[in-house]
Amino acid sequence: AQTVTQSQPEMSVQEAETVTLSCTYDTSESDYYLFWYKQPPSRQMILVIRQEAYKQQNATENRFSVNFQKAAKSFSLKISDSQLGDAAMYFCAYSGGTYKYIFGTGTRLKVLA
Amino acid sequence: DSGVTQTPKHLITATGQRVTLRCSPRSGDLSVYWYQQSLDQGLQFLIQYYNGEERAKGNILERFSAQQFPDLHSELNLSSLELGDSALYFCASSATGPRYGYTFGSGTRLTVV
């Protein structure tokens, strides 16, 4: 069975600094997709970034980028130039051969002014 | 507005009661997914429907059931409610499966007293 692990329950970052959130996963599938979702205090789940496992190039969306290490089964999220609006729960998610996501337990990110 | 509509936004009910949560997917999306998020927890997959048919089942209790109607809206029925069922229930939709990212609704906050 596939698993997703987020080992950092909480992280803090100074405004304008860079922070990296960690995610590891376990799977025997060769074709899969990885995601980062943001859940602000409003509780709305917002897709931040998506990575296809067959692509070696790391995905980037503005200030958000990933470090995808397929062999190590690691998928970290880097947030550059952190802003107060980045404060939220961040969930890593895996999607493979089944028609569902498997979510990690989340990392709460605090942004300090 | 994500395009996925969930009603009601909040629901307070007593133990032993039955409630129905409703979800209208984003226009054109055939798949609907239901997730449960307990306080400060990750998201647990409950069930998926595709074009009216059940596609996948997760950790859904026997007291819970769901269906997707011909107009593609979906309902999640929760019966014999217990205090532990208090949670945020999310609906998400997708056009071609979770690999391209879900669109989440804003959730229904269920409180069982």
Side-chain angles (χ1 to χ4, degrees), chain B residues 4-108:
Chain B
V4 178
T5 303
Q6 286 190 251
T7 57
K9 290 194 184 304
H10 301 277
L11 197 50
I12 301 175
T13 190
T15 54
Q17 294 298 304
R18 172 190 169 94
V19 297
T20 298
L21 312 184
R22 182 188 168 102
C23 169
S24 293
R26 193 178 56 169
S27 179
D29 288 354
L30 300 179
S31 285
V32 169
Y33 307 80
W34 287 97
Y35 280 82
Q36 178 192 57
Q37 184 181 31
S38 300
L39 186 63
D40 289 334
Q41 302 261 322
L43 281 79
Q44 297 297 319
F45 171 69
L46 295 178
I47 198 165
Q48 182 218 351
Y49 280 84
Y50 177 81
N51 202 22
E53 294 188 3
E54 184 183 303
R55 176 66 67 93
K57 215 169 199 178
N59 299 321
I60 187 167
L61 300 172
E62 286 190 9
R63 300 183 285 109
F64 297 180
S65 64
Q67 55 184 326
Q68 186 180 28
F69 295 87
D71 67 352
L72 300 178
H73 91 271
S74 178
E75 292 181 356
L76 178 67
N77 300 298
L78 315 176
S79 61
S80 302
L81 285 167
E82 302 174 359
L83 296 178
D85 297 327
S86 296
L88 190 57
Y89 290 85
F90 281 107
C91 169
S93 73
S94 68
T96 56
R99 299 180 174 207
Y100 298 94
Y102 286 162
T103 300
F104 279 87
S106 57
T108 293

